[in-house]
């Protein structure tokens, strides 16, 4: 603002400079000649231009940022998100009162002058010189051009400052582009664009958003008093905000109404009637983002947003992807099933309370398509710590909003080892006879590079001391026998086990590659609930793994389709291997560790899992048409051992995969599945080891009765009483594989 001399008013030098400045602008526009050098008027170089003709001829009008609508798979609204709340509407959908009000108060000669209102400019010059105040002389067209630059600046404060600073340079640019806009668009289109781009306060950009914000109605339905109030906001949205200062807003509205009467937009009688009517707001609070999501779908909504911000399909660089999302105007149809989401949200919150020390995550994936149907969580989405809210998505990887590494998966990894063994040709009837606890040399496991997985001994023990003796694959899965799977992994191969896991999309939450650690068969390497649900969906899909996806389609603001990521499906194992796994995991829910989760009205299968000190508990299971992973554990930095703990109002002396995640899984599956659709797994006979009493008595018959060659089972015991499987100690015959072992 120019400095005033003592006693008020501008000095003679300042008055002359201001007059010359405006005159120069007028002359430049009329004659198209170059402005004098910056120094001639004593102006800052940054705020000037060297010549009128050197300004680029075409104004590049950026598309207006708008709200994005996120829909479920049936077209229902999940949430609305925006960086700027705006809905662009045509002029025919804007009340004539609104059009008249904005013209009356901002540019009453709008339809009479060209891009530049010389009469208004000279009047402003005279007023400014006489009063020492600053009176604007910009036409609606010039204001529209300025708003284009502001819109283009986005959140870049430096660019916003450049677009709004009071300098001759900016005014000259506005004037030249205003001439172009007048020639190309015409008055009606300029008015439409102006009303759609202008900021009206309260996070509302454009007249439709403003009308909804203050009066909860469409812009086409505004009456004369409402239109006058909104038109008055343009000069200073914060000063005349009716929500925070009704008195100032009323004064400003009345000024607009009187001006409308003066220019003949309304009669004096209409103006007086509107002036005598109090402002009646019906404020719709600005709510944007995934916090507004329905049915607890905030985490899924955030996953969709982060997918757009991170997937190269939406742009090669983070800046390109961010621009796409922040520009908005997108209609995103997702894979979310409203039925499944309601069921998952109910399941996650039914047995774990938001204030508990631990949290629950439920995620569901459709086999064969990779579509994510739901994401439920016991803690609500949001930033209010007092309400136990969180924005940490426990179901997904760190890149997409989840924890750093994910969570150890415990025994839910064992089916991957079993699948690798079956693919290797090892029969489900393969038996290992072990005590409760065994030492296993790490150098008997080989990495994919052919080197040993380490030195020393890996001590493996089962959950209960009573869990000892001979188990085959199905029995070991049903009772989750750790010692069995340590030996099965050795026989199948550590490399083969890792490869199988990778084929099933198994990866750590931070995206780092899996480590060649034999203990992976017991689930010591972290992953995510979404990753586990997608992996198990491959079993349901008879061995074909499909990458999970959350977006079905996107339509841009221009009505054109935007390319979206597609699920990629690939065969991870043979159909017969998957069929075998399905039958064996059916046993887990029928008479194994997962009986509390079992569904009684359809084929279903699954696996329980717990980790050291019960810091994580899992149940991952599926039917032929739905895969669901449930995790319960600590979502904070300090992991909570789930012993002697109350969760969801129920006391647990120790949490297990079958006793808490299992029932949650059952609730989620029951609610999500259609009772009339009960597809079955492909039937297949699973070879089982013969019981001791059924075995032939002589050695030769005993070997014939087993599903392997005599060399499969080395004679003699170790000093610790362990029956040694082939290759246990390495050396001659250590890697002996029997082609006849395949199912």
């Amino acid at each position: 603002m120019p400095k005033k001399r003592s006693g008020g008013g501008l000095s003679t030098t300042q008055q002359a400079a201001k007059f010359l400045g405006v005159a120069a602008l007028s002359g430049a526009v009329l004659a198209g000649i170059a402005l004098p050098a910056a120094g001639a008027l004593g102006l800052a170089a940054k705020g000037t231009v060297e010549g009128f003709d050197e300004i680029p001829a075409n104004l590049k009008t950026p598309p207006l940022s708008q709200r994005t609508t996120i829909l479920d798979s049936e077209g229902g609204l999940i949430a609305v998100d925006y960086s700027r709340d705006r809905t662009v509407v045509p002029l025919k959908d804007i009340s004539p009162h609104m059009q008249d009000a904005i013209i009356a108060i901002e540019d009453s000669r709008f339809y009479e002058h060209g891009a530049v209102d010389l009469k208004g400019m000279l009047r402003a010059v005279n007023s400014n010189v006489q009063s020492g105040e600053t009176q604007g002389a910009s036409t609606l067209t010039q204001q529209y051009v300025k708003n284009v630059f502001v819109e283009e600046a986005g959140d870049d404060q430096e660019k916003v400052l450049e677009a709004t600073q009071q300098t001759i340079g900016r005014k000259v640019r506005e004037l030249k582009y205003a001439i172009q806009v007048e020639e190309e668009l015409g008055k009606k289109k300029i008015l439409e664009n102006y009303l759609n781009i202008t900021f009206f306060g309260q996070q509302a950009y454009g007249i439709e958003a403003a009308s909804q914000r203050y009066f909860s109605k469409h812009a086409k339905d505004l009456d004369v008093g409402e239109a006058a109030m909104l038109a008055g906001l343009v000069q200073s949205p914060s000063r005349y905000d009716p929500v925070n200062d009704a008195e100032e807003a009323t004064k400003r509205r009345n000024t607009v109404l009187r001006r409308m009467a003066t220019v003949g937009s309304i009669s004096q009688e209409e103006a007086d009637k509107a002036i005598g009517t109090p402002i009646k707001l019906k404020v719709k609070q600005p709510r944007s983002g995934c916090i507004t999501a329905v049915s607890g779908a905030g985490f899924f909504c955030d996953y969709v947003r982060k997918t757009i911000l991170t997937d190269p399909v939406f742009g090669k660089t983070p800046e390109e992807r961010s621009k796409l999302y922040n520009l908005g105007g997108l209609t995103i149809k997702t894979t979310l099933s409203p039925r499944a989401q309601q069921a998952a949200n109910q399941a996650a919150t039914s047995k774990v309370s938001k204030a508990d020390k631990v949290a629950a995550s439920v995620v569901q994936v459709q086999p064969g398509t990779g579509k994510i149907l739901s994401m439920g969580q016991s803690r609500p989405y949001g930033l209010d710590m007092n309400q136990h809210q969180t924005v940490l998505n426990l179901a997904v990887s760190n890149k997409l909003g989840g924890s750093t590494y994910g969570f150890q998966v415990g025994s839910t990894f064992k089916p991957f080892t079993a699948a690798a063994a079956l693919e290797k040709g090892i029969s489900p009837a393969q038996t290992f006879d072990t005590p409760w606890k065994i030492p296993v040399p790490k150098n008997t496991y080989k990495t994919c590079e052919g080197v040993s997985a380490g030195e020393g001994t890996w001590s493996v023990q089962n959950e209960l001391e009573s869990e000892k003796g001979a188990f085959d694959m199905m029995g070991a899965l049903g009772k989750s026998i750790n010692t069995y799977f340590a030996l099965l992994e050795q026989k199948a191969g550590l490399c083969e086990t890792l490869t199988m896991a990778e084929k099933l999309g198994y990866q750590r939450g931070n995206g780092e590659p899996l480590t060649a650690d034999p203990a992976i068969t017991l689930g010591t390497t972290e992953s995510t609930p979404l990753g586990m649900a997608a992996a198990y969906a491959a079993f349901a899909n008879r061995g074909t793994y499909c990458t999970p996806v959350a977006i079905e389609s996107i339509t841009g603001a221009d009505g054109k389709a935007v390319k979206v990521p597609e699920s990629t499906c690939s065969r991870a194992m043979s159909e017969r291997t998957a069929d075998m796994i399905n039958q064996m995991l059916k046993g887990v829910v029928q008479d194994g560790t997962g009986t509390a989760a079992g569904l009684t009205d359809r084929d279903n299968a699954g696996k329980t899992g717990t980790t050291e000190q019960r810091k994580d508990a899992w149940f991952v299971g599926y039917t032929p048409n739905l895969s669901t992973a449930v995790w319960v554990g600590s979502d904070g930095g300090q992991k909570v051992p789930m012993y002697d703990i109350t969760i969801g109002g129920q006391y647990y002396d120790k949490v297990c995969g079958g006793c808490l995640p299992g029932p949650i899984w059952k609730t989620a599956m029951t609610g999500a599945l259609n009772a009339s659709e009960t597809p079955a797994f492909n039937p297949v006979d699973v070879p089982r080891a013969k019981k001791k009493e059924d075995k032939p008595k002589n050695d030769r018959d005993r070997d014939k009765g087993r599903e392997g060659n005599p060399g499969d089972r080395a004679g003699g015991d170790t000093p610790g009483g362990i029956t040694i499987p082939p290759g246990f100690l390495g050396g001659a015959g250590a890697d002996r594989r029997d082609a006849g072992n395949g199912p």
Side-chain angles (χ1 to χ4, degrees), residues 526-595:
E526 304 92 341
S527 192
T528 65
L530 175 58
M532 294 303 290
Y536 273 53
F539 295 139
N541 194 35
R542 301 194 69 196
T544 297
Y545 169 77
C546 298
T547 56
V549 290
I551 301 171
E552 287 193 358
S553 65
I554 297 180
T555 303
D558 57 1
K560 297 180 180 179
V562 176
K563 186 177 180 181
V564 301
E566 297 181 358
S567 179
T568 302
C569 298
S570 57
R571 180 152 296 283
M573 67 195 76
S574 69
E575 289 185 348
R576 183 166 177 80
T577 291
D579 292 341
M580 288 280 189
I581 295 293
N582 295 339
Q583 294 302 319
M584 289 191 285
L585 292 184
K586 279 179 66 175
V588 174
V589 297
Q590 289 174 345
D591 56 11
T593 58
T595 53

Side-chain angles (χ1 to χ4, degrees), residues 333-471:
K333 186 178 181 182
T334 72
T335 60
L336 190 80
S337 160
R339 175 174 180 157
Q341 178 58 35
Q342 186 175 7
N345 187 56
Q346 178 186 354
T349 57
S350 63
K351 291 188 175 296
V352 182
S353 301
K354 65 180 182 180
D356 286 338
K357 294 179 181 179
V358 297
S361 174
V362 179
V363 61
Q364 298 179 305
V365 172
Q366 185 178 66
T369 67
K371 292 180 179 180
I372 303 170
L373 303 184
S374 72
M375 279 185 187
Q377 203 157 296
S378 59
R379 299 202 203 284
Y381 181 86
L383 294 170
D384 190 343
M385 298 290 288
N386 294 326
Q387 295 298 317
H388 306 285
Q389 294 178 346
T390 181
V391 293
L392 181 67
N393 189 342
L394 301 172
V396 304
S397 65
N398 179 259
K399 178 182 178 181
L400 292 166
S403 62
T404 303
Y405 302 105
F407 311 102
Q408 290 186 342
V409 301
S411 293
T412 58
F413 189 95
K414 289 173 180 172
F416 305 157
T417 306
L422 295 177
E423 289 289 282
K424 189 83 172 192
I426 299 171
S427 169
Q430 171 68 54
T431 304
F432 296 118
D433 193 351
T434 71
W436 161 64
K437 183 177 182 180
I438 60 172
V440 186
K442 290 185 179 180
N443 62 11
T444 59
Y445 296 87
K446 302 297 181 183
T447 71
C448 291
E449 291 71 34
V451 300
S452 67
E455 300 298 328
T457 300
W458 173 32
S459 180
V460 184
Q461 68 182 51
N462 298 324
E463 172 72 13
L464 304 174
E465 290 192 36
S466 60
E467 292 173 339
K468 56 187 177 182
F471 294 92

Side-chain angles (χ1 to χ4, degrees), residues 169-322:
R170 179 179 68 81
K171 285 290 186 182
V172 170
R173 285 192 297 272
E174 286 179 10
L175 288 171
K176 180 161 186 177
Y177 288 131
I179 295 171
Q180 172 206 336
V181 168
E182 287 268 354
E183 291 177 350
E184 293 181 356
L185 299 183
K187 294 290 188 180
K188 290 288 186 180
K189 188 63 177 177
I190 291 169
L191 180 59
E192 175 186 301
N193 289 359
Y194 176 84
L195 286 170
N196 277 306
I197 200 172
T198 299
F199 179 54
F200 289 89
Q202 290 286 327
Q203 301 180 33
Y205 289 81
I207 189 58
E208 177 67 16
S211 182
Q212 291 287 350
R213 179 77 74 251
Y214 295 105
F215 300 111
S216 297
K217 61 169 59 176
H218 292 295
K220 65 181 180 181
D221 299 323
L222 292 168
D223 64 31
V224 66
E226 294 165 342
M229 192 212 80
L230 292 176
L233 284 171
V234 171
Q235 187 181 87
S236 179
S238 58
R239 177 179 176 183
Y240 302 123
D241 184 351
V243 176
N244 297 317
D245 195 333
E247 184 177 352
E248 278 294 306
T250 301
K251 290 179 182 178
R252 179 62 177 168
R253 179 204 64 173
N254 295 345
T255 297
V256 176
L257 289 167
R258 293 188 186 97
R259 182 63 180 165
M260 292 176 73
T262 299
V263 301
S265 298
I266 58 175
S267 67
Q268 188 60 53
E269 182 181 359
E270 289 175 305
D272 292 341
K273 181 180 179 181
I275 288 172
T277 303
I279 294 175
K280 297 179 181 178
L281 299 176
K282 189 177 180 182
V283 178
K284 185 181 293 183
Q285 292 297 330
R287 298 194 72 201
S288 167
C290 297
I291 190 69
T292 66
V294 299
S295 300
F299 298 100
F300 178 84
C301 169
D302 189 63
Y303 180 83
V304 169
R305 182 179 70 88
K306 285 189 169 67
T307 296
I308 295 175
L309 294 176
T310 59
D311 197 307
V313 168
F314 297 106
K316 295 181 180 179
T317 66
E319 291 75 21
E320 288 180 14
R321 299 189 290 268
S322 180

Side-chain angles (χ1 to χ4, degrees), residues 416-732:
F416 305 157
T417 306
L422 295 177
E423 289 289 282
K424 189 83 172 192
I426 299 171
S427 169
Q430 171 68 54
T431 304
F432 296 118
D433 193 351
T434 71
W436 161 64
K437 183 177 182 180
I438 60 172
V440 186
K442 290 185 179 180
N443 62 11
T444 59
Y445 296 87
K446 302 297 181 183
T447 71
C448 291
E449 291 71 34
V451 300
S452 67
E455 300 298 328
T457 300
W458 173 32
S459 180
V460 184
Q461 68 182 51
N462 298 324
E463 172 72 13
L464 304 174
E465 290 192 36
S466 60
E467 292 173 339
K468 56 187 177 182
F471 294 92
D472 63 9
M473 198 178 297
M474 188 169 185
L477 277 170
K479 295 186 180 296
S480 203
I481 304 301
N482 293 339
T483 54
Y484 181 93
F485 278 92
L487 300 179
L488 182 65
E489 180 189 39
Q490 183 197 64
K491 186 174 180 65
L494 174 58
C495 177
E496 287 81 352
T497 301
L498 292 171
T499 301
M500 176 57 67
E502 289 169 348
K503 287 181 179 179
L504 292 169
Y506 189 90
Q507 60 180 343
R508 304 182 73 191
N510 61 0
E512 292 181 358
L514 301 180
T515 303
D517 180 1
I520 194 172
T521 191
L522 304 184
T524 57
T525 299
E526 304 92 341
S527 192
T528 65
L530 175 58
M532 294 303 290
Y536 273 53
F539 295 139
N541 194 35
R542 301 194 69 196
T544 297
Y545 169 77
C546 298
T547 56
V549 290
I551 301 171
E552 287 193 358
S553 65
I554 297 180
T555 303
D558 57 1
K560 297 180 180 179
V562 176
K563 186 177 180 181
V564 301
E566 297 181 358
S567 179
T568 302
C569 298
S570 57
R571 180 152 296 283
M573 67 195 76
S574 69
E575 289 185 348
R576 183 166 177 80
T577 291
D579 292 341
M580 288 280 189
I581 295 293
N582 295 339
Q583 294 302 319
M584 289 191 285
L585 292 184
K586 279 179 66 175
V588 174
V589 297
Q590 289 174 345
D591 56 11
T593 58
T595 53
L599 307 175
T600 58
D601 62 338
R602 66 188 66 226
D603 269 5
N604 63 113
K607 184 71 186 75
T608 57
T610 53
T611 63
E612 186 178 1
Q613 295 186 326
R614 300 180 184 270
K615 292 179 179 178
D616 302 279
W618 293 77
F619 190 87
V620 188
Y622 54 96
T623 62
N625 55 348
L626 182 62
S627 177
T628 300
V630 177
W631 167 88
V632 176
S634 304
D635 56 345
Q638 187 68 32
K639 300 288 284 184
V640 177
M642 289 186 285
Y643 290 99
D644 188 25
I645 189 172
T646 297
I647 302 174
Q650 181 175 340
Y651 173 78
Y652 297 85
D653 59 344
K654 57 182 180 179
V655 170
C656 60
C659 60
L660 180 54
I664 293 174
W665 180 88
K666 187 173 185 177
T667 298
M669 292 290 284
T670 301
L673 290 167
N674 188 328
S676 64
E677 298 176 1
T678 56
F681 293 127
N682 190 58
V684 63
D685 290 329
V686 179
R688 299 296 306 273
K690 292 183 179 294
K691 295 181 180 180
K692 289 184 178 180
E693 57 268 28
D694 297 332
K695 290 182 180 180
K697 294 182 180 179
N698 63 73
D699 291 341
R700 179 174 296 178
D701 288 340
R702 183 184 298 116
D703 287 335
K704 289 180 180 178
R706 295 180 62 255
E707 296 235 352
N709 294 331
D712 274 353
R713 193 180 180 99
D717 295 334
T718 66
I722 303 171
T723 303
I724 305 173
F728 187 89
L729 298 177

